[in-house]
């Protein structure tokens, strides 16, 4: 089990921005790709983005394209999810997770490929 710690969530107005962080143990990013998921109240968990271990390239679901940016800082053992132009539909608990692949299969990763989950961070978009 790998310990992942998300932070950066909070309350933001529509149109605002937040940057989430996913801190992982040293060398974790050398072994795993990292995926971001979210779960809104009363809805199933859905994939948001994934960043590949092999080349650090991120992929996004359609709802995140053009608004969200996933990046990683290997030296800091941290993955970031920069979220801009937020709207009420982005309200959810956001989770990061390790992926048992060198390259992300897509922005949505099957549960069977997930190793460990973080505890989640709440994002609320409201005026």
């Amino acid at each position: 089990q790998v310990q992942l710690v998300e932070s950066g969530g909070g309350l933001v107005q529509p149109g605002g921005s937040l940057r989430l962080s996913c801190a992982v143990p040293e060398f974790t990013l050398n072994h795993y790709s990292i995926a971001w998921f979210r779960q809104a109240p009363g809805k199933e968990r859905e994939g948001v983005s994934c960043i590949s271990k092999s080349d650090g390239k991120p992929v996004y679901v359609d709802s995140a394209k053009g608004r969200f940016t996933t990046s990683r800082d290997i030296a800091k053992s941290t993955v970031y999810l920069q979220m801009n132009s937020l709207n009420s539909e982005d309200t959810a608990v956001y989770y990061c997770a390790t992926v048992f692949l060198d390259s992300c299969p897509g922005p949505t990763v099957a549960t069977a490929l997930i190793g460990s989950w973080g505890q989640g961070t709440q994002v609320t978009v409201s005026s």
Side-chain angles (χ1 to χ4, degrees), residues 14-123:
S17 299
L18 280 176
R19 187 178 78 160
L20 306 184
S21 298
C22 173
V24 296
E26 191 177 15
F27 304 123
T28 298
L29 299 183
N30 297 114
H31 296 288
Y32 298 98
S33 298
I34 302 294
W36 283 99
F37 293 82
R38 66 186 180 185
Q39 187 165 19
K43 295 187 177 181
E44 293 187 355
R45 185 173 53 206
E46 63 176 358
V48 175
S49 174
C50 183
I51 185 164
S52 293
K53 182 206 83 170
S54 58
D55 58 11
K57 289 184 179 179
V59 287
Y60 306 94
V61 293
D62 287 346
S63 61
K65 288 179 181 177
R67 299 190 302 129
F68 293 4
T69 301
T70 298
S71 61
R72 67 181 183 179
D73 187 330
I74 293 178
K76 294 183 177 179
S77 294
T78 302
V79 175
Y80 302 99
L81 180 65
Q82 175 69 43
M83 304 186 295
N84 300 327
S85 301
L86 288 163
N87 58 63
S88 59
E89 294 184 350
D90 297 315
T91 294
V93 178
Y94 285 71
Y95 302 89
C96 59
T98 57
V99 180
F100 289 127
L101 295 173
D102 290 348
S103 296
C104 295
T108 298
V109 181
T111 302
L113 297 175
I114 297 297
S116 301
W117 294 90
Q119 83 289 350
T121 186
Q122 176 70 47
V123 172

